Amino acid sequence: VRGKKRKGRQKADLKRDQANTPATPATPTPESINAHKKPRRCLGRKPLTDLIIGKRYPGTVVYLKPFGAFIDIHACHTEALCHISRIRDDYVSDINAVLTVGDEVNPRVVEINRRNKRVTVSLQTDDMWEHE
């Protein structure tokens, strides 16, 4: 019969529920309530609105892709993209020859997309920044 539970299934569900219920209800502690939440990376985290376009911030290369590098900006702990065309002033054919994961860099903020929470940075010199 569609849509109706069979009597045998109801008995099995009742037995399972009785076996799984504790005898006395436990009072939740703050640790047990927040046990499923991940701890924050940094309590002093700043929002993207604190970043200034054109200013340099210290950062670390987190991972590399063929199209660019993702850099963790220490000021706001946000992963920012540095496109391969903005890594150096001259042409870069292989990103792995220029950067490695864990490198400490000082990128300049080029663009902040607050809607998508994305930051674009550049590792080019100040001369290239003036020409843009």
Side-chain angles (χ1 to χ4, degrees):
V1 181
R2 275 186 196 251
K4 292 185 178 181
K5 285 188 174 181
R6 289 184 234 136
K7 290 182 183 179
R9 185 76 235 152
Q10 288 176 347
K11 288 180 185 178
D13 289 343
L14 183 63
K15 282 183 182 179
R16 185 194 69 227
D17 291 341
Q18 288 173 348
N20 290 336
T21 56
T24 59
T27 57
T29 61
E31 293 82 18
S32 65
I33 292 172
N34 296 328
H36 68 282
K37 293 183 180 178
K38 291 182 181 179
R40 287 180 60 184
R41 275 178 72 181
C42 179
L43 295 176
R45 186 174 179 162
K46 295 181 181 178
L48 289 179
T49 55
D50 288 352
L51 294 177
I52 300 169
I53 294 177
K55 187 175 178 184
R56 290 188 177 270
Y57 295 94
T60 305
V61 177
V62 180
Y63 53 95
L64 301 173
K65 295 287 181 184
F67 56 85
F70 286 90
I71 299 170
D72 179 35
I73 298 177
H74 299 313
C76 65
H77 292 286
T78 301
E79 289 182 357
L81 171 67
C82 182
H83 192 264
I84 193 167
S85 63
R86 294 181 187 246
I87 289 179
R88 279 196 176 166
D89 295 345
D90 51 343
Y91 177 74
V92 176
S93 60
D94 183 23
I95 193 169
N96 294 317
V98 180
L99 293 173
T100 57
V101 175
D103 282 353
E104 294 292 327
V105 292
N106 203 13
R108 178 186 302 105
V109 176
V110 176
E111 180 185 352
I112 301 171
N113 186 341
R114 288 179 177 86
R115 183 176 184 190
N116 295 334
K117 296 182 182 177
R118 292 184 180 170
V119 180
T120 305
V121 295
S122 173
L123 294 173
Q124 294 174 333
T125 61
D126 295 333
D127 297 333
M128 290 298 287
W129 173 254
E130 291 171 1
H131 291 138
E132 284 186 4

